[in-house]
Amino acid sequence: LNEVTHEDHDHEHDQHEQIEENEEERVHFKNVLQAFLHYKPHVQGWINKKWHDFIKLPKEHQQLIPHMEKKIIAMKRALTINYNFLQAIASPGALFENQEMDYSSEGGSGGDKGKKEPSEADMDKVRSTLRQFQRDWSSEGAKEREQCYGPLMKELLARFPQPPELRRQIKVLSPGSGLGRLPWEIARLGFTSQGNEFSFFMLLSSNFVLNRCDKINEYTIYPYLHNTCNLLQMSHQFRKCSVPDVNPSSLPPDSDFSMCAGDFLEVYKNQEGQWDCIVTCFFIDTAQNIVAYVEYFSKLLRPGGVWINNGPLLYHYANMGDESSVEISYEELRHIIAAYGFTIQKEEIIPGVGYTSNPESMLSVLYNSAFFTAVKTSNGLRVKKEATTLSRPDSPASFEVPTLEKATKGGTGSLLKTVTVLDEASHLNGNPRSSTNSSTSSQGQRSQQPAEPGRPNLNVNTSVEAPKAAPKRRNKPKNNRKK
């Protein structure tokens, strides 16, 4: 009888936790919608401040900037055009095909609980969303897409050279897919393609472009309206672009394409060995623990499966004091990849890769992007929780750590001296060796060798799937790709 009582209590506790998580998710979703709809008053206030700052200048200084009033008018008109586009994204209607929670403003038990002034971080994500549209769904973003997606697509075709009619048997997963252009392109090649995204800002927008846009260049936006610094010319602030540059509903009728909403580590935890290929683009550095990502890639891929990556190691949580983050070098990452049963068969550092950058700006942030193809050749290590030591592949890299030596009597102070610290793999393997006064050895070091109308008839699954058990949200970085 007591056991039954405990089980009932645990069931009620689980139900209560699920209700709380659903409510938290619903409130967060409403906050995202409000951020989209708050864009106009938010940017209007920013423009008004620009004008007030200008009229505070001495008259003789104002006369030397004769076009400011015209610029303010142009900014307000561009703002209105952007706002109309964002309103279309956040308009009422079914947002998720398998929606289980009531996200409407009136529904749910929270009432007006979710209504509050959007944070500056959320408004920055709205502005970033406009730049993402320029990158993913406009002709102006073609160069960046070729730099980022081009190598991935070419490698995917090289690894799976089947004729188009047989590619649907190949399942390809693209986590962190943003507005969905990369998995859409993969589906257009004939593969079974699924994108995964965590951010509701991206999910709302990808749902809009994939399921509600069916005309080329249907909308016009001004993604650089908010940039007033590093402008070579006044017109560069008002560079417009049209989206989408292709018809998203133009996929072949038998295409298998979907988007899945939720935290990658939560949504795919029960899909071991179900994927043939994982394609990651500017994704792996979104992890708080990048080792967990590599472990999941190994679990999700079938034997012989392929992981293709292109991107830097920015580590989004690195400078967020209230969030945990472990950052490692690419050198260390390569050993972790090998430890989980992957063999890197192709490798290259691609220089000068941009991310939502303005090509006309005086400031340019470019990445030396790590592009590689890793094939799952074994299951790799499986770490037991009770284990106190871990046998792992030799990690031959050594590095010098500065140490402070106490000054000798009569000296002038502390002296900065360096000693070589060898990798600790030998200690973990039960073969300790001294790290003091050792010379740097290159033996065994691994060299980096380059190594709508018409849509219903298409029967294309471009739905955005919401996870049945909504994971608790983590705080996201204020600006994903901004210095």
Side-chain angles (χ1 to χ4, degrees):
L1 182 61
N2 286 337
E3 289 180 358
V4 173
T5 303
H6 287 309
E7 287 178 359
D8 290 344
H9 176 74
D10 291 342
H11 180 65
E12 289 178 2
H13 178 73
D14 291 342
Q15 283 186 322
H16 180 69
E17 278 193 343
Q18 185 63 56
I19 292 172
E20 285 186 345
E21 288 183 2
N22 287 354
E23 177 63 12
E24 179 184 339
E25 198 78 359
R26 189 187 71 83
V27 170
H28 173 75
F29 188 83
K30 288 175 62 178
N31 291 339
V32 172
L33 288 175
Q34 289 168 18
F36 275 97
L37 300 177
H38 190 68
Y39 172 81
K40 188 171 185 177
H42 178 80
V43 178
Q44 182 70 61
W46 171 75
I47 294 174
N48 290 342
K49 182 181 183 303
K50 294 296 180 186
W51 176 248
H52 289 309
D53 290 346
F54 172 72
I55 62 177
K56 289 178 184 178
L57 297 178
K59 290 294 183 182
E60 58 271 24
H61 292 178
Q62 293 183 32
Q63 292 172 2
L64 295 172
I65 314 175
H67 302 294
M68 180 57 74
E69 185 173 358
K70 181 180 178 181
K71 282 200 293 184
I72 293 296
I73 294 173
M75 290 167 73
K76 290 182 177 180
R77 291 182 180 176
L79 158 63
T80 300
I81 293 171
N82 281 352
Y83 180 62
N84 291 340
F85 177 69
L86 294 172
Q87 271 190 311
I89 294 175
S91 63
L95 293 169
F96 299 117
E97 200 169 79
N98 62 334
Q99 181 175 318
E100 294 183 357
M101 293 178 288
D102 183 4
Y103 291 118
S104 64
S105 12
E106 298 80 16
S109 59
D112 292 335
K113 181 179 176 182
K115 289 189 176 181
K116 63 179 181 179
E117 184 88 0
S119 66
E120 179 57 36
D122 280 348
M123 297 314 302
D124 190 64
K125 290 174 184 176
V126 174
R127 295 189 291 267
S128 175
T129 298
L130 292 170
R131 296 193 299 271
Q132 289 281 353
F133 268 101
Q134 184 270 343
R135 166 187 165 86
D136 262 11
W137 292 100
S138 79
S139 58
E140 285 79 4
K143 181 179 178 181
E144 273 195 11
R145 292 197 300 274
E146 178 57 31
Q147 287 180 316
C148 297
Y149 304 159
L152 297 170
M153 307 282 286
K154 292 174 185 175
E155 184 67 8
L156 180 63
L157 289 173
R159 294 287 167 172
F160 300 97
Q162 292 90 335
E165 61 271 14
L166 298 180
R167 289 176 190 161
R168 191 170 179 180
Q169 302 171 13
I170 308 300
K171 295 179 62 178
V172 183
L173 175 62
S174 305
S177 54
L179 296 185
R181 183 63 182 259
L182 177 58
W184 184 87
E185 292 285 359
I186 292 173
R188 187 160 71 161
L189 293 176
F191 297 96
T192 292
S193 177
Q194 182 170 100
N196 163 245
E197 180 54 51
F198 182 80
S199 165
F200 267 141
F201 290 91
M202 294 292 100
L203 289 167
L204 267 172
S205 302
S206 63
N207 175 71
F208 171 75
V209 70
L210 292 170
N211 289 321
R212 292 162 61 188
C213 292
D214 54 18
K215 296 178 183 177
I216 296 176
N217 298 332
E218 188 172 358
Y219 295 91
T220 297
I221 59 174
Y222 290 82
Y224 305 116
L225 165 64
H226 325 95
N227 301 124
T228 57
C229 301
N230 292 304
L231 296 173
L232 283 169
Q233 300 176 18
M234 289 184 290
S235 61
H236 291 168
Q237 183 182 1
F238 304 105
R239 290 179 61 240
K240 63 182 179 180
C241 66
S242 298
V243 296
D245 63 322
V246 294
N247 185 349
S249 64
S250 63
L251 289 176
D254 60 343
S255 295
D256 189 345
F257 171 40
S258 59
M259 290 284 290
C260 183
D263 188 323
F264 170 70
L265 296 179
E266 291 287 336
V267 173
Y268 295 96
K269 60 185 178 183
N270 296 320
Q271 298 193 21
E272 186 166 347
Q274 295 186 21
W275 296 90
D276 300 290
C277 183
I278 295 175
V279 176
T280 52
C281 185
F282 278 67
F283 171 70
I284 59 176
D285 58 355
T286 65
Q288 292 177 290
N289 172 15
I290 195 172
V291 181
Y293 276 9
V294 180
E295 179 183 15
Y296 261 57
F297 297 157
S298 178
K299 287 181 178 179
L300 294 175
L301 288 171
R302 62 167 177 76
V306 179
W307 169 25
I308 311 173
N309 176 77
N310 191 10
L313 294 176
L314 180 63
Y315 293 112
H316 295 192
Y317 293 94
N319 296 316
M320 298 179 67
D322 58 343
E323 294 284 349
S324 65
S325 178
V326 176
E327 304 90 41
I328 62 173
S329 67
Y330 180 59
E331 177 187 35
E332 294 167 291
L333 175 62
R334 296 174 83 257
H335 293 291
I336 292 169
I337 291 172
Y340 278 101
F342 287 104
T343 300
I344 297 178
Q345 295 187 351
K346 186 174 184 179
E347 187 174 24
E348 179 184 358
I349 300 299
I350 303 176
V353 178
Y355 192 92
T356 66
S357 57
N358 182 354
E360 306 294 342
S361 174
M362 298 169 69
L363 173 66
S364 207
V365 177
L366 301 175
Y367 296 94
N368 291 324
S369 184
F371 170 68
F372 61 80
T373 300
V375 178
K376 181 180 175 181
T377 53
S378 69
N379 288 328
L381 57 83
R382 291 292 182 264
V383 183
K384 294 182 180 179
K385 291 183 179 180
E386 65 273 12
T388 56
T389 61
L390 170 64
S391 178
R392 59 183 183 177
D394 184 31
S395 190
S398 63
F399 56 97
E400 293 185 346
V401 177
T403 61
L404 292 176
E405 247 187 21
K406 290 185 178 180
T408 57
K409 188 174 182 180
T412 57
S414 297
L415 302 174
L416 186 63
K417 185 179 180 180
T418 61
V419 297
T420 300
V421 178
L422 298 179
D423 179 76
E424 297 180 355
S426 59
H427 293 270
L428 293 173
N429 290 328
N431 181 27
R433 54 184 178 182
S434 173
S435 62
T436 307
N437 297 328
S438 299
S439 60
T440 305
S441 171
S442 61
Q443 184 177 358
Q445 289 189 357
R446 186 196 301 267
S447 62
Q448 298 238 356
Q449 298 181 358
E452 290 49 29
R455 177 173 278 115
N457 296 328
L458 291 175
N459 193 29
V460 179
N461 180 12
T462 58
S463 60
V464 179
E465 302 176 5
K468 293 183 179 179
K472 290 191 176 182
R473 303 199 67 79
R474 302 174 299 181
N475 292 328
K476 282 294 180 182
K478 177 180 178 182
N479 216 339
N480 285 349
R481 295 284 168 197
K482 188 175 179 181
K483 282 284 184 181

